[in-house]
Amino acid sequence: MKRLIIVLLAGALAGGCTTLSDGAPRLAGDGPPLRGIGYAVIAIQPGETPAQKQLMAIRASRLAAMRDLAERIHGARIEGNTAIGEGQVFSDNLRGSVAGLVTNARVVSITPVRNTLYETILEVDVSEVNAMRASHRPLWQ
Amino acid sequence: MRARAPLLLGSLLLGSCLWTAAPAAAGLRVVQGEGYAAIAGNDVARARKAALAEALYNAAGRVKTKIRGAGHLDTRGVMTEESSMLVEGSLRDHRIVQEYREGSRYVVIVEALAETDGSACGTKRVDLDVRPIAVQVAPGLPGHVLRAARESVDRAVQGLAAGSNFRATDNRDIPLAGGTEAARTDYASLLHGGAPNPSGYSISGRLLVERRRQANLLGENVDIVATLTLRLRDNVDGSTVDTITVTRDFNERSRLFGTPFETGSSAVDLSPVWQAAVAELDAKLGCRPLRAKVLDVNSGFVTLSVGTEHGIRKGDYFLLDLPGRRRGDWQVIQIEEASATMAQGRTLKPAPAVPVDAMATLLQ
């Protein structure tokens, strides 16, 4: 029995090794760069002066763009949970999560939109996307 | 001990798993980062510091950033969202490219030397000077074997020159001096006008083809054994980087109780020997960062010994290897113009000065 467990453990670990870089879809090498867009509202940012709020909005929009990019590179995990009791829906939850590594993302633009929010666009070359997909599995795995 | 066996096995497998997942050889690259900070109470100095810190943070983020995010939509249709990022880039040094006041904020743009875990495999072509490769065929072997051996060398050299990893030059007629002779003192090549690129590599060696007979009372087996030995030399200092040895057997004839039961092809194809050697050469040199030698320095304008034939383009960066340099004493050259075998660029900083003959390494 112990031997069987060892063999199963070995198989599972070896399997983990092989799936590390396998199965990640590759993009065509000459394709356009992958872009991520993020927005952040200026008014709700912390800060004592309008300039501070603007800078915080730039940061927030940048993070949102990074997240968008991570989602495009590594994908997102969606979980839904709906509970019904006596024929009636009493709980309906939807959860989406993203986790991954982003390297060499460059800023395309940081633009104020009607002085109410900031828009940040980041982009990554296709070769970089393929390298990230090949070498790093999404962090939730 | 028995109880520890599963643990030991598990650790070994996990170790091998992590080892195989380890990133390729580390490299360096130049990254830019920009930082903004609000000027509060007319305190420009403080805003400058804050902007510089953010610029460095952004530069490091370009190297490696981990992103985590989660969104939750509940039964009432209310959406909550949370994102976080963790910057893990490592910067070796930096310089401020630009800084200015823009209304009520201060802007700093930096250029930093960052460590990356990616390799430069297959992006540029390394200079490879092909020196004599002797073909030795054992006495008694048919003439077509000698012909096949010679042709295989020709084909391999042509294949190297046409490939994407090397910029191979066929200098097989120029003898290679023994010992550790650097390219600049390789007088035979200088006399022939075929001096190798000082920042590249040279190969020379021998292809030996022999016949091996194994026999006993029952039968006999005769193979043709080809052994290729290539010495890989660094042109910078003449040192031997590695020696590649590939051996392949080709069955010539087999007999059992005097009756031939398996007869190899009469034509000997030595291409598998070369395929294995070139694959090993690719593995040894293909992922090394491209090097270049400083040929000339003229008022901040530096000429390097590599060009478009090596895959160099305008905008590439080279890090200079300055002997005895201290921390922060680095110099980077940005390529502005490239011809077939040379490139010209400007140094990014006024100091330190660039000496002629210094070596530079391509940044990713």
Side-chain angles (χ1 to χ4, degrees):
Chain A
M1 186 59 194
K2 268 186 184 174
R3 279 187 185 173
L4 183 68
I5 290 169
I6 292 169
V7 169
L8 285 175
L9 181 71
L13 282 167
C17 287
T18 53
T19 54
L20 184 67
S21 58
D22 290 355
R26 288 179 64 83
L27 299 176
D30 53 352
L34 216 59
R35 284 195 167 187
I37 304 177
Y39 298 95
V41 179
I42 299 169
I44 60 166
Q45 301 301 328
E48 290 167 13
T49 63
Q52 281 175 330
K53 283 177 183 279
Q54 274 186 355
L55 293 176
M56 293 312 282
I58 290 174
R59 276 197 179 185
S61 65
R62 191 193 188 98
L63 174 54
M66 272 289 209
R67 180 181 159 159
D68 189 32
L69 210 50
E71 209 171 292
R72 285 164 196 264
I73 295 166
H74 301 291
R77 180 176 173 147
I78 308 290
E79 288 171 80
N81 181 14
T82 307
I84 300 171
E86 294 171 5
Q88 192 183 353
V89 174
F90 65 84
S91 162
D92 187 23
N93 286 290
L94 187 68
R95 186 179 291 274
S97 56
V98 57
L101 193 81
V102 178
T103 59
N104 205 19
R106 58 178 172 270
V107 178
V108 176
S109 65
I110 302 173
T111 325
V113 182
R114 291 193 299 275
N115 281 333
T116 55
L117 46 96
Y118 262 96
E119 179 199 71
T120 298
I121 302 175
L122 302 175
E123 71 177 17
V124 183
D125 286 334
V126 167
S127 58
E128 200 77 31
V129 172
N130 287 333
M132 279 186 268
R133 285 181 176 173
S135 61
H136 302 282
R137 66 164 60 151
L139 299 179
W140 63 71
Q141 284 185 11
Chain B
M1 184 62 198
R2 269 192 175 184
R4 283 186 186 175
L7 194 65
L8 194 66
L9 182 68
S11 308
L12 278 171
L13 279 162
L14 193 62
S16 68
C17 198
L18 291 173
W19 183 77
T20 51
L28 288 170
R29 67 184 300 171
V30 173
V31 287
Q32 273 205 344
E34 66 292 316
Y36 308 92
I39 302 168
N42 219 17
D43 192 349
V44 178
R46 193 171 167 180
R48 183 184 179 274
K49 272 187 188 173
L52 176 61
E54 196 187 315
L56 290 171
Y57 176 77
N58 287 336
R62 285 204 58 185
V63 184
K64 197 174 181 182
T65 305
K66 279 181 182 168
I67 302 287
R68 277 186 186 277
H72 180 226
L73 185 68
D74 68 13
T75 314
R76 293 168 297 159
V78 177
M79 177 88 186
T80 49
E81 203 181 46
E82 204 176 287
S83 300
S84 66
M85 72 178 182
L86 178 68
V87 169
E88 287 187 347
S90 171
L91 304 180
R92 197 175 276 191
D93 212 336
H94 75 276
R95 74 180 185 108
I96 295 171
V97 180
Q98 214 180 352
E99 56 177 313
Y100 52 91
R101 186 178 176 158
E102 192 182 75
S104 59
R105 65 182 184 176
Y106 202 85
V107 183
V108 173
I109 299 170
V110 296
E111 210 154 43
L113 201 58
E115 290 170 5
T116 66
D117 52 13
S119 67
C121 303
T123 53
K124 305 290 177 191
R125 295 173 84 203
V126 178
D127 257 304
L128 192 67
D129 179 38
V130 184
R131 289 305 184 88
I133 297 170
V135 176
Q136 294 178 339
V137 175
L141 279 172
H144 71 85
V145 175
L146 176 64
R147 204 164 47 244
R150 283 182 179 156
E151 283 172 3
S152 76
V153 178
D154 291 341
R155 273 200 304 273
V157 175
Q158 284 164 10
L160 275 174
S164 57
N165 276 358
F166 301 106
R167 181 180 168 272
T169 316
D170 188 359
N171 280 334
R172 281 178 291 162
D173 53 333
I174 304 176
L176 187 71
T180 56
E181 195 162 307
R184 65 192 157 80
T185 53
D186 190 348
Y187 297 117
S189 66
L190 293 172
L191 280 173
H192 285 77
N197 191 313
S199 54
Y201 298 87
S202 298
I203 53 165
S204 59
R206 182 180 75 156
L207 175 63
L208 177 67
V209 188
E210 302 166 290
R211 183 178 271 155
R212 184 178 59 201
R213 180 173 174 268
Q214 293 167 302
N216 56 24
L217 287 171
L218 300 176
E220 172 196 45
N221 188 50
V222 180
D223 288 335
I224 287 178
V225 183
T227 307
L228 175 65
T229 309
L230 293 176
R231 178 187 161 215
L232 188 57
R233 195 188 67 156
D234 190 336
N235 287 347
V236 175
D237 55 7
S239 63
T240 301
V241 176
D242 216 324
T243 303
I244 297 169
T245 306
V246 178
T247 303
R248 290 286 183 276
D249 300 352
F250 305 93
N251 183 257
E252 193 180 20
R253 62 174 186 270
S254 296
R255 287 173 195 273
L256 192 63
F257 300 116
T259 312
F261 75 94
E262 190 184 328
T263 308
S265 166
S266 60
V268 177
D269 179 16
L270 295 171
S271 52
V273 180
W274 281 101
Q275 280 164 10
V278 170
E280 210 170 319
L281 205 58
D282 278 345
K284 288 189 193 307
L285 291 185
C287 293
R288 288 192 182 205
L290 187 76
R291 303 175 306 176
K293 192 175 180 181
V294 176
L295 300 175
D296 186 40
V297 183
N298 192 358
S299 55
F301 218 59
V302 181
T303 306
L304 298 175
S305 65
V306 289
T308 51
E309 286 185 7
H310 303 85
I312 297 301
R313 289 172 301 185
K314 185 184 172 186
D316 280 345
Y317 291 93
F318 279 87
L319 175 69
L320 268 165
D321 186 15
L322 300 168
R325 72 191 167 102
R326 295 161 299 174
R327 185 176 155 74
D329 210 10
W330 55 277
Q331 185 61 276
V332 171
I333 299 164
Q334 187 178 20
I335 300 301
E336 292 186 352
E337 208 179 315
S339 64
T341 56
M342 279 194 283
Q344 286 189 316
R346 278 197 186 281
T347 51
L348 288 188
K349 300 192 293 180
V354 180
V356 174
D357 281 352
M359 292 300 294
T361 308
L362 180 73
L363 296 170
Q364 288 173 29

